PDB file of all heavy atoms in Angstrom:
ATOM      1  N   PHE A  10     -59.960  -5.884 -66.086  1.00 97.00           N
ATOM      2  CA  PHE A  10     -58.761  -5.623 -67.018  1.00 97.00           C
ATOM      3  C   PHE A  10     -59.181  -5.443 -68.477  1.00 97.00           C
ATOM      4  O   PHE A  10     -58.530  -4.901 -69.245  1.00 97.00           O
ATOM      5  CB  PHE A  10     -57.707  -6.736 -66.900  1.00 97.00           C
ATOM      6  CG  PHE A  10     -56.695  -6.459 -65.752  1.00 97.00           C
ATOM      7  CD1 PHE A  10     -57.186  -6.445 -64.417  1.00 97.00           C
ATOM      8  CD2 PHE A  10     -55.349  -6.431 -66.035  1.00 97.00           C
ATOM      9  CE1 PHE A  10     -56.272  -6.256 -63.341  1.00 97.00           C
ATOM     10  CE2 PHE A  10     -54.533  -6.137 -65.004  1.00 97.00           C
ATOM     11  CZ  PHE A  10     -54.969  -6.107 -63.668  1.00 97.00           C
ATOM     12  N   ASP A  11     -60.353  -6.076 -68.840  1.00 96.00           N
ATOM     13  CA  ASP A  11     -60.811  -5.868 -70.149  1.00 96.00           C
ATOM     14  C   ASP A  11     -61.772  -4.699 -70.335  1.00 96.00           C
ATOM     15  O   ASP A  11     -62.269  -4.392 -71.469  1.00 96.00           O
ATOM     16  CB  ASP A  11     -61.582  -7.159 -70.708  1.00 96.00           C
ATOM     17  CG  ASP A  11     -62.775  -7.541 -69.785  1.00 96.00           C
ATOM     18  OD1 ASP A  11     -63.041  -6.743 -68.806  1.00 96.00           O
ATOM     19  OD2 ASP A  11     -63.282  -8.507 -70.100  1.00 96.00           O
ATOM     20  N   GLY A  12     -62.119  -3.978 -69.262  1.00 96.00           N
ATOM     21  CA  GLY A  12     -62.891  -2.778 -69.261  1.00 96.00           C
ATOM     22  C   GLY A  12     -64.345  -3.145 -69.453  1.00 96.00           C
ATOM     23  O   GLY A  12     -65.196  -2.167 -69.718  1.00 96.00           O
ATOM     24  N   ALA A  13     -64.826  -4.407 -69.289  1.00 96.00           N
ATOM     25  CA  ALA A  13     -66.144  -4.802 -69.625  1.00 96.00           C
ATOM     26  C   ALA A  13     -67.144  -4.566 -68.405  1.00 96.00           C
ATOM     27  O   ALA A  13     -68.355  -4.662 -68.671  1.00 96.00           O
ATOM     28  CB  ALA A  13     -66.130  -6.188 -70.095  1.00 96.00           C
ATOM     29  N   ILE A  14     -66.586  -4.283 -67.193  1.00 95.00           N
ATOM     30  CA  ILE A  14     -67.587  -4.105 -66.126  1.00 95.00           C
ATOM     31  C   ILE A  14     -68.106  -2.781 -66.087  1.00 95.00           C
ATOM     32  O   ILE A  14     -67.337  -1.784 -65.921  1.00 95.00           O
ATOM     33  CB  ILE A  14     -66.888  -4.381 -64.710  1.00 95.00           C
ATOM     34  CG1 ILE A  14     -66.371  -5.903 -64.653  1.00 95.00           C
ATOM     35  CG2 ILE A  14     -67.738  -4.127 -63.585  1.00 95.00           C
ATOM     36  CD1 ILE A  14     -65.603  -6.237 -63.399  1.00 95.00           C
ATOM     37  N   GLY A  15     -69.403  -2.721 -66.260  1.00 85.00           N
ATOM     38  CA  GLY A  15     -70.028  -1.403 -66.482  1.00 85.00           C
ATOM     39  C   GLY A  15     -70.621  -0.798 -65.136  1.00 85.00           C
ATOM     40  O   GLY A  15     -70.779   0.410 -65.117  1.00 85.00           O
ATOM     41  N   SER A  16     -70.694  -1.506 -64.050  1.00 91.00           N
ATOM     42  CA  SER A  16     -71.311  -1.054 -62.852  1.00 91.00           C
ATOM     43  C   SER A  16     -70.246  -0.933 -61.706  1.00 91.00           C
ATOM     44  O   SER A  16     -69.434  -1.857 -61.537  1.00 91.00           O
ATOM     45  CB  SER A  16     -72.443  -2.089 -62.364  1.00 91.00           C
ATOM     46  OG  SER A  16     -72.742  -1.928 -61.057  1.00 91.00           O
ATOM     47  N   LEU A  17     -70.293   0.191 -60.979  1.00 93.00           N
ATOM     48  CA  LEU A  17     -69.330   0.285 -59.872  1.00 93.00           C
ATOM     49  C   LEU A  17     -69.562  -0.811 -58.872  1.00 93.00           C
ATOM     50  O   LEU A  17     -68.635  -1.407 -58.301  1.00 93.00           O
ATOM     51  CB  LEU A  17     -69.508   1.675 -59.293  1.00 93.00           C
ATOM     52  CG  LEU A  17     -68.957   2.864 -60.074  1.00 93.00           C
ATOM     53  CD1 LEU A  17     -69.326   4.169 -59.395  1.00 93.00           C
ATOM     54  CD2 LEU A  17     -67.539   2.786 -60.455  1.00 93.00           C
ATOM     55  N   ALA A  18     -70.794  -1.149 -58.534  1.00 93.00           N
ATOM     56  CA  ALA A  18     -71.137  -2.049 -57.535  1.00 93.00           C
ATOM     57  C   ALA A  18     -70.656  -3.581 -58.002  1.00 93.00           C
ATOM     58  O   ALA A  18     -70.381  -4.377 -57.177  1.00 93.00           O
ATOM     59  CB  ALA A  18     -72.599  -2.171 -57.260  1.00 93.00           C
ATOM     60  N   ALA A  19     -70.587  -3.805 -59.298  1.00 95.00           N
ATOM     61  CA  ALA A  19     -70.161  -5.036 -59.794  1.00 95.00           C
ATOM     62  C   ALA A  19     -68.696  -5.324 -59.582  1.00 95.00           C
ATOM     63  O   ALA A  19     -68.232  -6.488 -59.554  1.00 95.00           O
ATOM     64  CB  ALA A  19     -70.436  -5.141 -61.252  1.00 95.00           C
ATOM     65  N   ARG A  20     -67.832  -4.288 -59.405  1.00 95.00           N
ATOM     66  CA  ARG A  20     -66.391  -4.453 -59.155  1.00 95.00           C
ATOM     67  C   ARG A  20     -66.117  -5.217 -57.785  1.00 95.00           C
ATOM     68  O   ARG A  20     -65.406  -6.157 -57.824  1.00 95.00           O
ATOM     69  CB  ARG A  20     -65.732  -3.107 -59.206  1.00 95.00           C
ATOM     70  CG  ARG A  20     -65.822  -2.495 -60.584  1.00 95.00           C
ATOM     71  CD  ARG A  20     -65.363  -0.949 -60.533  1.00 95.00           C
ATOM     72  NE  ARG A  20     -65.539  -0.382 -61.840  1.00 95.00           N
ATOM     73  CZ  ARG A  20     -64.654  -0.346 -62.845  1.00 95.00           C
ATOM     74  NH1 ARG A  20     -63.493  -1.052 -62.687  1.00 95.00           N
ATOM     75  NH2 ARG A  20     -64.866   0.185 -63.958  1.00 95.00           N
ATOM     76  N   PRO A  21     -66.562  -4.699 -56.651  1.00 94.00           N
ATOM     77  CA  PRO A  21     -66.411  -5.428 -55.371  1.00 94.00           C
ATOM     78  C   PRO A  21     -67.024  -6.819 -55.425  1.00 94.00           C
ATOM     79  O   PRO A  21     -66.586  -7.734 -54.748  1.00 94.00           O
ATOM     80  CB  PRO A  21     -66.969  -4.540 -54.255  1.00 94.00           C
ATOM     81  CG  PRO A  21     -67.840  -3.508 -55.017  1.00 94.00           C
ATOM     82  CD  PRO A  21     -67.274  -3.346 -56.381  1.00 94.00           C
ATOM     83  N   GLN A  22     -68.128  -6.916 -56.237  1.00 96.00           N
ATOM     84  CA  GLN A  22     -68.809  -8.259 -56.322  1.00 96.00           C
ATOM     85  C   GLN A  22     -67.871  -9.242 -57.021  1.00 96.00           C
ATOM     86  O   GLN A  22     -67.762 -10.360 -56.645  1.00 96.00           O
ATOM     87  CB  GLN A  22     -70.085  -8.185 -57.052  1.00 96.00           C
ATOM     88  CG  GLN A  22     -71.211  -7.424 -56.347  1.00 96.00           C
ATOM     89  CD  GLN A  22     -72.415  -7.189 -57.082  1.00 96.00           C
ATOM     90  OE1 GLN A  22     -72.467  -7.555 -58.375  1.00 96.00           O
ATOM     91  NE2 GLN A  22     -73.414  -6.464 -56.587  1.00 96.00           N
ATOM     92  N   ALA A  23     -67.090  -8.736 -57.916  1.00 97.00           N
ATOM     93  CA  ALA A  23     -66.230  -9.542 -58.792  1.00 97.00           C
ATOM     94  C   ALA A  23     -65.043  -9.959 -57.876  1.00 97.00           C
ATOM     95  O   ALA A  23     -64.349 -10.932 -58.139  1.00 97.00           O
ATOM     96  CB  ALA A  23     -65.724  -8.881 -60.021  1.00 97.00           C
ATOM     97  N   ALA A  24     -64.786  -9.229 -56.858  1.00 97.00           N
ATOM     98  CA  ALA A  24     -63.682  -9.415 -55.873  1.00 97.00           C
ATOM     99  C   ALA A  24     -64.017 -10.283 -54.764  1.00 97.00           C
ATOM    100  O   ALA A  24     -63.201 -10.695 -53.969  1.00 97.00           O
ATOM    101  CB  ALA A  24     -63.075  -8.135 -55.447  1.00 97.00           C
ATOM    102  N   ALA A  25     -65.184 -10.637 -54.521  1.00 96.00           N
ATOM    103  CA  ALA A  25     -65.742 -11.355 -53.395  1.00 96.00           C
ATOM    104  C   ALA A  25     -64.977 -12.655 -53.204  1.00 96.00           C
ATOM    105  O   ALA A  25     -64.771 -13.440 -54.073  1.00 96.00           O
ATOM    106  CB  ALA A  25     -67.173 -11.648 -53.555  1.00 96.00           C
ATOM    107  N   GLY A  26     -64.504 -12.844 -51.938  1.00 95.00           N
ATOM    108  CA  GLY A  26     -63.752 -14.115 -51.633  1.00 95.00           C
ATOM    109  C   GLY A  26     -62.255 -13.764 -51.661  1.00 95.00           C
ATOM    110  O   GLY A  26     -61.547 -14.617 -51.182  1.00 95.00           O
ATOM    111  N   SER A  27     -61.845 -12.702 -52.035  1.00 96.00           N
ATOM    112  CA  SER A  27     -60.441 -12.264 -51.953  1.00 96.00           C
ATOM    113  C   SER A  27     -60.179 -11.740 -50.538  1.00 96.00           C
ATOM    114  O   SER A  27     -61.110 -11.659 -49.719  1.00 96.00           O
ATOM    115  CB  SER A  27     -60.069 -11.206 -53.090  1.00 96.00           C
ATOM    116  OG  SER A  27     -60.226 -11.685 -54.338  1.00 96.00           O
ATOM    117  N   ASP A  28     -58.981 -11.379 -50.286  1.00 95.00           N
ATOM    118  CA  ASP A  28     -58.523 -10.875 -49.059  1.00 95.00           C
ATOM    119  C   ASP A  28     -58.346  -9.340 -48.984  1.00 95.00           C
ATOM    120  O   ASP A  28     -58.367  -8.821 -47.863  1.00 95.00           O
ATOM    121  CB  ASP A  28     -57.292 -11.539 -48.505  1.00 95.00           C
ATOM    122  CG  ASP A  28     -57.494 -13.071 -48.459  1.00 95.00           C
ATOM    123  OD1 ASP A  28     -58.274 -13.476 -47.637  1.00 95.00           O
ATOM    124  OD2 ASP A  28     -56.815 -13.813 -49.296  1.00 95.00           O
ATOM    125  N   PHE A  29     -58.142  -8.754 -50.078  1.00 97.00           N
ATOM    126  CA  PHE A  29     -57.965  -7.290 -50.147  1.00 97.00           C
ATOM    127  C   PHE A  29     -58.393  -6.865 -51.466  1.00 97.00           C
ATOM    128  O   PHE A  29     -58.162  -7.478 -52.512  1.00 97.00           O
ATOM    129  CB  PHE A  29     -56.499  -6.954 -49.863  1.00 97.00           C
ATOM    130  CG  PHE A  29     -56.202  -5.474 -49.501  1.00 97.00           C
ATOM    131  CD1 PHE A  29     -56.363  -5.013 -48.233  1.00 97.00           C
ATOM    132  CD2 PHE A  29     -55.990  -4.596 -50.465  1.00 97.00           C
ATOM    133  CE1 PHE A  29     -56.236  -3.658 -47.914  1.00 97.00           C
ATOM    134  CE2 PHE A  29     -55.725  -3.243 -50.218  1.00 97.00           C
ATOM    135  CZ  PHE A  29     -55.923  -2.830 -48.865  1.00 97.00           C
ATOM    136  N   PHE A  30     -58.831  -5.534 -51.522  1.00 98.00           N
ATOM    137  CA  PHE A  30     -59.291  -4.983 -52.824  1.00 98.00           C
ATOM    138  C   PHE A  30     -58.529  -3.671 -53.056  1.00 98.00           C
ATOM    139  O   PHE A  30     -58.550  -2.769 -52.195  1.00 98.00           O
ATOM    140  CB  PHE A  30     -60.751  -4.737 -52.849  1.00 98.00           C
ATOM    141  CG  PHE A  30     -61.390  -4.073 -54.053  1.00 98.00           C
ATOM    142  CD1 PHE A  30     -61.854  -4.936 -55.070  1.00 98.00           C
ATOM    143  CD2 PHE A  30     -61.593  -2.843 -54.192  1.00 98.00           C
ATOM    144  CE1 PHE A  30     -62.403  -4.410 -56.228  1.00 98.00           C
ATOM    145  CE2 PHE A  30     -62.029  -2.194 -55.344  1.00 98.00           C
ATOM    146  CZ  PHE A  30     -62.555  -2.982 -56.346  1.00 98.00           C
ATOM    147  N   ILE A  31     -57.890  -3.546 -54.109  1.00 98.00           N
ATOM    148  CA  ILE A  31     -57.295  -2.226 -54.533  1.00 98.00           C
ATOM    149  C   ILE A  31     -57.705  -1.777 -55.861  1.00 98.00           C
ATOM    150  O   ILE A  31     -57.577  -2.645 -56.820  1.00 98.00           O
ATOM    151  CB  ILE A  31     -55.645  -2.335 -54.357  1.00 98.00           C
ATOM    152  CG1 ILE A  31     -55.065  -0.949 -54.726  1.00 98.00           C
ATOM    153  CG2 ILE A  31     -55.104  -3.389 -55.227  1.00 98.00           C
ATOM    154  CD1 ILE A  31     -53.686  -0.782 -54.342  1.00 98.00           C
ATOM    155  N   SER A  32     -58.188  -0.627 -56.009  1.00 98.00           N
ATOM    156  CA  SER A  32     -58.648  -0.054 -57.323  1.00 98.00           C
ATOM    157  C   SER A  32     -57.678   0.981 -57.799  1.00 98.00           C
ATOM    158  O   SER A  32     -57.332   1.938 -57.095  1.00 98.00           O
ATOM    159  CB  SER A  32     -60.126   0.576 -57.156  1.00 98.00           C
ATOM    160  OG  SER A  32     -60.566   0.893 -58.452  1.00 98.00           O
ATOM    161  N   ILE A  33     -57.331   0.716 -59.096  1.00 98.00           N
ATOM    162  CA  ILE A  33     -56.202   1.642 -59.680  1.00 98.00           C
ATOM    163  C   ILE A  33     -56.852   2.742 -60.511  1.00 98.00           C
ATOM    164  O   ILE A  33     -57.643   2.556 -61.378  1.00 98.00           O
ATOM    165  CB  ILE A  33     -55.214   0.742 -60.424  1.00 98.00           C
ATOM    166  CG1 ILE A  33     -54.724  -0.382 -59.681  1.00 98.00           C
ATOM    167  CG2 ILE A  33     -54.163   1.685 -61.079  1.00 98.00           C
ATOM    168  CD1 ILE A  33     -53.964   0.094 -58.475  1.00 98.00           C
ATOM    169  N   HIS A  34     -56.382   3.936 -60.219  1.00 98.00           N
ATOM    170  CA  HIS A  34     -56.847   5.093 -60.868  1.00 98.00           C
ATOM    171  C   HIS A  34     -55.742   6.081 -61.191  1.00 98.00           C
ATOM    172  O   HIS A  34     -54.628   5.982 -60.584  1.00 98.00           O
ATOM    173  CB  HIS A  34     -57.948   5.883 -60.141  1.00 98.00           C
ATOM    174  CG  HIS A  34     -59.227   5.119 -60.122  1.00 98.00           C
ATOM    175  ND1 HIS A  34     -60.412   5.521 -60.877  1.00 98.00           N
ATOM    176  CD2 HIS A  34     -59.614   4.059 -59.377  1.00 98.00           C
ATOM    177  CE1 HIS A  34     -61.275   4.636 -60.605  1.00 98.00           C
ATOM    178  NE2 HIS A  34     -60.912   3.742 -59.734  1.00 98.00           N
ATOM    179  N   HIS A  35     -55.941   7.056 -62.071  1.00 98.00           N
ATOM    180  CA  HIS A  35     -55.082   8.236 -62.254  1.00 98.00           C
ATOM    181  C   HIS A  35     -55.931   9.520 -62.125  1.00 98.00           C
ATOM    182  O   HIS A  35     -57.070   9.500 -62.488  1.00 98.00           O
ATOM    183  CB  HIS A  35     -54.410   8.221 -63.554  1.00 98.00           C
ATOM    184  CG  HIS A  35     -53.353   7.071 -63.581  1.00 98.00           C
ATOM    185  ND1 HIS A  35     -53.704   5.657 -63.631  1.00 98.00           N
ATOM    186  CD2 HIS A  35     -51.931   7.163 -63.615  1.00 98.00           C
ATOM    187  CE1 HIS A  35     -52.502   5.065 -63.695  1.00 98.00           C
ATOM    188  NE2 HIS A  35     -51.495   5.897 -63.657  1.00 98.00           N
ATOM    189  N   ASP A  36     -55.376  10.512 -61.624  1.00 97.00           N
ATOM    190  CA  ASP A  36     -56.088  11.716 -61.149  1.00 97.00           C
ATOM    191  C   ASP A  36     -56.143  12.794 -62.290  1.00 97.00           C
ATOM    192  O   ASP A  36     -55.388  12.888 -63.208  1.00 97.00           O
ATOM    193  CB  ASP A  36     -55.528  12.312 -59.885  1.00 97.00           C
ATOM    194  CG  ASP A  36     -56.497  12.927 -58.996  1.00 97.00           C
ATOM    195  OD1 ASP A  36     -57.764  12.916 -59.350  1.00 97.00           O
ATOM    196  OD2 ASP A  36     -56.133  13.319 -57.918  1.00 97.00           O
ATOM    197  N   SER A  37     -57.114  13.716 -62.137  1.00 97.00           N
ATOM    198  CA  SER A  37     -57.320  14.906 -62.949  1.00 97.00           C
ATOM    199  C   SER A  37     -57.349  16.109 -61.948  1.00 97.00           C
ATOM    200  O   SER A  37     -56.818  16.081 -60.880  1.00 97.00           O
ATOM    201  CB  SER A  37     -58.534  14.810 -63.755  1.00 97.00           C
ATOM    202  OG  SER A  37     -58.664  15.900 -64.658  1.00 97.00           O
ATOM    203  N   ILE A  38     -58.124  17.137 -62.378  1.00 96.00           N
ATOM    204  CA  ILE A  38     -58.253  18.340 -61.549  1.00 96.00           C
ATOM    205  C   ILE A  38     -59.527  19.065 -62.011  1.00 96.00           C
ATOM    206  O   ILE A  38     -59.814  18.912 -63.253  1.00 96.00           O
ATOM    207  CB  ILE A  38     -57.021  19.215 -61.582  1.00 96.00           C
ATOM    208  CG1 ILE A  38     -57.089  20.251 -60.505  1.00 96.00           C
ATOM    209  CG2 ILE A  38     -56.830  19.837 -62.940  1.00 96.00           C
ATOM    210  CD1 ILE A  38     -55.668  21.013 -60.392  1.00 96.00           C
ATOM    211  N   ASP A  39     -60.087  19.914 -61.137  1.00 95.00           N
ATOM    212  CA  ASP A  39     -61.284  20.750 -61.508  1.00 95.00           C
ATOM    213  C   ASP A  39     -61.009  21.622 -62.727  1.00 95.00           C
ATOM    214  O   ASP A  39     -59.832  22.130 -62.817  1.00 95.00           O
ATOM    215  CB  ASP A  39     -61.759  21.524 -60.334  1.00 95.00           C
ATOM    216  CG  ASP A  39     -62.390  20.633 -59.306  1.00 95.00           C
ATOM    217  OD1 ASP A  39     -62.714  19.480 -59.542  1.00 95.00           O
ATOM    218  OD2 ASP A  39     -62.486  21.133 -58.076  1.00 95.00           O
ATOM    219  N   GLU A  40     -61.904  21.835 -63.551  1.00 94.00           N
ATOM    220  CA  GLU A  40     -61.680  22.678 -64.710  1.00 94.00           C
ATOM    221  C   GLU A  40     -61.281  24.058 -64.358  1.00 94.00           C
ATOM    222  O   GLU A  40     -60.501  24.653 -65.230  1.00 94.00           O
ATOM    223  CB  GLU A  40     -63.013  22.718 -65.503  1.00 94.00           C
ATOM    224  CG  GLU A  40     -63.500  21.484 -66.223  1.00 94.00           C
ATOM    225  CD  GLU A  40     -64.627  21.590 -67.121  1.00 94.00           C
ATOM    226  OE1 GLU A  40     -64.994  22.816 -67.289  1.00 94.00           O
ATOM    227  OE2 GLU A  40     -65.168  20.689 -67.616  1.00 94.00           O
ATOM    228  N   ALA A  41     -61.567  24.478 -63.253  1.00 95.00           N
ATOM    229  CA  ALA A  41     -61.082  25.897 -62.895  1.00 95.00           C
ATOM    230  C   ALA A  41     -59.605  26.066 -62.930  1.00 95.00           C
ATOM    231  O   ALA A  41     -59.089  27.205 -62.940  1.00 95.00           O
ATOM    232  CB  ALA A  41     -61.723  26.349 -61.531  1.00 95.00           C
TER     233      ALA A  41
END
């Protein structure tokens, strides 16, 4: 939530021990 995690692999590591993981994003589109 503070944006400080720099590694993608560190995100699920930070969630270890939870029961479910949901990653929130918003979409874009190809430049074409």
Side-chain angles (χ1 to χ4, degrees):
F10 273 62
D11 60 1
I14 297 180
S16 161
L17 291 176
R20 296 169 184 270
Q22 290 173 2
S27 299
D28 300 295
F29 195 89
F30 180 89
I31 181 167
S32 186
I33 304 301
H34 288 256
H35 289 71
D36 212 358
S37 184
I38 193 171
D39 292 340
E40 290 188 8

